[in-house]
């Protein structure tokens, strides 16, 4: 989402609460702007030359130096502080959410009682895929499946607020939005596309979904996710923002829709949360439910291992081992365009793109396919 967008479901913080948020943000920025560059200097000045001398060739991958760098004192400091900052962020947000939860719950109920515009379909007996239970994703307490009591929306609150702090810690500006970047890209590259039905896969808290009804007025917007609590929050959020969306509790690898149901299918940062064995089934489902002439678009972080220098490969490994990202390397080592071809899209219709953020220093990796 754009951090310029606020709404009444976000927990309100007093002076002390705001100070704690700023303290966590400062800690995260120090990790990225001070400790990580220093660690890279250690790699370039000490670890890399020693590894190349021992190997008798240039360093090519993280495997060439991983063990040596992990023994360095600065790595241990960077890694432990990085992990501590993530845990402190979640603890701080959980405290603030719980302190304001009664007001938030009342806002949820008020939005439903007035003129609700969002719907939520929950099939009987649905179970989230086993792989998503392997870890608390992002180290978020309870992960995507946190569900403490009937009607709980805590998972979505944590996800949205944590995502805001994480992005600001990466120096991504307040005006950035994944969905708005993709909408602009669609208008530039596919100006004739006029979708009547839109589907977002892995919508989580619904922060990106809410942009699509306004961007494509008159389109019927659907979104799926595997977390009941995330979707309860996403529906409430859409009600508050008056974004007409139909949410579904469903697996992107097993969609409850008929063939050719959608003219536009999108995902935002879903692929790096998807186990390798489920990547192809997701693409097969995309090809099945996309209508002729429609567009399928997957946006995610630009961490393709074969495009990264060895030090950045090493940082990707850290995400998997230390930051609740068990499928990070599954995604980073995947050939997403080839997966889409295997899934049923024509090879000539699949294209990969790198897009600059709207308000930030990074790029997004985007793979598109038309049918």
């Amino acid at each position: 989402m754009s951090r310029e967008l606020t709404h009444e479901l976000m927990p309100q913080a007093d002076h002390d609460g705001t100070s704690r948020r700023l303290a966590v943000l400062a800690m995260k920025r120090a990790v990225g702007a001070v400790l990580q560059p220093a660690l890279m200097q250690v790699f370039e000045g000490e670890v890399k030359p020693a590894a190349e001398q021992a190997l008798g060739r240039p360093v090519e991958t993280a495997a060439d130096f991983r063990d040596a760098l992990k023994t360095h004192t600065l790595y241990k400091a960077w890694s432990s502080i990085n992990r501590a900052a993530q845990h402190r962020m979640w603890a701080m947000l959980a405290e603030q959410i719980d302190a304001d939860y009664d007001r938030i719950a009342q806002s949820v109920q008020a939005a439903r009682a007035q003129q609700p515009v969002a719907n939520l379909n929950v099939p009987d007996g649905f179970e989230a895929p086993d792989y998503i239970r392997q870890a608390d994703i992002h180290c978020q307490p309870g992960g995507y499946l946190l569900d403490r009591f009937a009607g709980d929306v805590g998972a979505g609150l944590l996800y949205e607020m944590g995502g805001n702090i994480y992005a600001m810690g990466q120096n991504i500006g307040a005006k950035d939005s994944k969905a708005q970047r993709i909408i602009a890209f669609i208008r530039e590259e596919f100006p004739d596309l006029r979708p009547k039905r839109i589907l977002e896969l892995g919508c989580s808290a619904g922060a990106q979904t809410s942009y699509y009804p306004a961007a494509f007025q008159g389109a019927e917007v659907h979104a799926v996710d595997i977390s009941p609590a995330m979707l309860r929050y996403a529906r409430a959020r859409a009600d508050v923002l008056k974004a007409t969306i139909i949410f579904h509790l469903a697996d992107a690898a097993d969609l409850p829709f008929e063939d050719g149901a959608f003219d536009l299918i999108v995902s935002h940062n879903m692929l790096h949360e998807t186990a390798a064995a489920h990547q192809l089934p997701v693409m097969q489902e995309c090809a099945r439910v996309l209508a002729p002439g429609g567009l399928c678009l997957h946006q995610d972080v630009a961490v393709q291992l074969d495009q990264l220098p060895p030090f950045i490969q090493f940082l990707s490994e850290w995400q998997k081992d230390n930051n609740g990202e068990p499928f990070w390397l599954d995604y980073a080592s995947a050939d997403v365009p080839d997966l889409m071809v295997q899934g049923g899209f024509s090879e000539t219709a699949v294209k990969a793109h790198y897009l600059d953020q709207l308000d930030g220093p990074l790029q997004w990796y985007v793979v598109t396919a038309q049918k």
Side-chain angles (χ1 to χ4, degrees), residues 138-213:
H138 309 140
C139 298
Q140 178 176 326
Y144 288 150
L145 300 178
L146 175 71
D147 205 350
R148 301 168 295 177
F149 47 81
D152 187 20
V153 295
L157 285 162
L158 281 168
Y159 186 87
E160 181 167 7
M161 297 301 293
N164 287 344
I165 292 178
Y166 177 84
M168 289 187 287
Q170 297 291 309
N171 291 316
I172 298 173
K175 296 180 181 179
D176 194 65
S177 158
K178 293 184 284 290
Q180 287 180 307
R181 181 65 184 94
I182 292 307
I183 289 165
F185 170 74
I186 291 171
R187 287 174 172 160
E188 294 163 3
E189 297 295 321
F190 306 93
D192 297 329
L193 185 67
R194 300 287 188 275
K196 295 180 180 179
R197 299 186 84 212
I198 299 170
L199 173 64
E200 183 188 359
L201 305 176
C203 68
S204 59
Q208 305 309 316
T209 325
S210 61
Y211 288 104
Y212 285 93

Side-chain angles (χ1 to χ4, degrees), residues 2-3 31 55 66 68 77 83 86 98 137 143 153 155 177 186 220 243 245 269 271 289 300 310-311 313 339:
S2 166
R3 276 153 298 287
V31 169
L55 293 166
R66 154 189 322 123
R83 176 81 179 218
Q86 189 77 342
D98 287 347
I137 302 296
V153 295
S177 158
I186 291 171
E220 185 177 282
I245 302 165
N269 283 20
L271 292 182
V289 303
D300 216 304
F311 180 74
Q313 292 180 25
L339 282 168

